[in-house]
Amino acid sequence: MLDAIALGELLIDFATVDTDRDGYPTLAAHPGGAPGNFLAALHAYGCSGAMLGKVGADTFGDLLCATLAQAGIRTEGIVRDPSVFTTLAFVTFGPGGERAFSFARKPGADTQLRFDELELSLIDQSRAFHFGALSLTDEPARSATRQAVAYARAQGKLVTFDPNYRPPLWRSEAQARAETLWGLEQADVVKLSDEELSFLWGCTPEEGARRLLEEC
């Protein structure tokens, strides 16, 4: 039995480490994607996990799968697709250390995951099913995620959700809000930041907790 399975994006984060005299950043590549980070954190505390997702059949896809495997995360649920590239994120920093994100994801491999590609047996083997809002930005991954959530709930799994709000990846704020609220309604456990509470309801953490209990 697995402790948890996560569905969602796997990507490469290119983070700024320096800038040249013209202001162009020097970037270092790192493995990224909130669902994979979630599983890696659980593994560090002795929990077992597996990943459902899609990467390109490219060097970065190879690196991400190898990194997850080295972290003790099962990878047989990751689809390798030669028709799309592994998603890339570029992270730059403002004067106060605030992060700004740009993405190469039009489309990225993570958005092209289909429900018929999912290893549902991994959900069957897991105690908990985790997903994030970035799987809800585009089709066919949105429909795949919704169906996977319904499947996990029908199997009696604990469902957890991370909004992980990234404005550049949504077509509109209205779409982001509607899909995030749907995710909150499906989950038994959620992880919300102050920024996400402000985006959803413009309220304090205490008020946000009350609304979650009453409305979701």
Side-chain angles (χ1 to χ4, degrees), residues 31-164:
N37 292 339
F38 169 81
L39 290 175
L42 285 181
H43 187 267
Y45 285 95
C47 299
S48 58
M51 183 79 194
L52 295 173
K54 179 177 278 194
V55 296
D58 51 36
T59 300
F60 288 132
D62 292 342
L63 286 168
L64 287 167
C65 289
T67 298
L68 286 177
Q70 289 167 8
I73 298 163
R74 289 172 58 177
T75 61
E76 65 264 38
I78 300 173
V79 179
R80 311 293 301 283
D81 190 338
S83 69
V84 285
F85 290 110
T86 300
T87 301
L88 308 178
F90 300 90
V91 188
T92 54
F93 300 93
E98 61 276 11
R99 297 180 300 171
F101 292 88
S102 299
F103 294 90
R105 194 186 188 230
K106 296 182 180 180
D110 69 294
T111 69
Q112 300 305 295
L113 183 67
R114 304 190 312 271
F115 182 71
D116 62 17
E117 295 175 309
L118 296 181
E119 289 285 347
L120 297 179
S121 62
L122 291 173
I123 299 178
D124 296 337
Q125 298 171 41
S126 299
R127 293 185 173 88
F129 175 87
H130 177 79
F131 72 108
L134 296 193
S135 296
L136 300 170
T137 59
D138 296 277
E139 292 291 355
R142 180 188 302 117
S143 293
T145 302
R146 285 175 172 264
Q147 290 175 270
V149 170
Y151 182 86
R153 287 170 59 91
Q155 300 301 311
K157 308 302 180 180
L158 179 76
V159 176
T160 68
F161 175 62
D162 176 11
N164 192 29

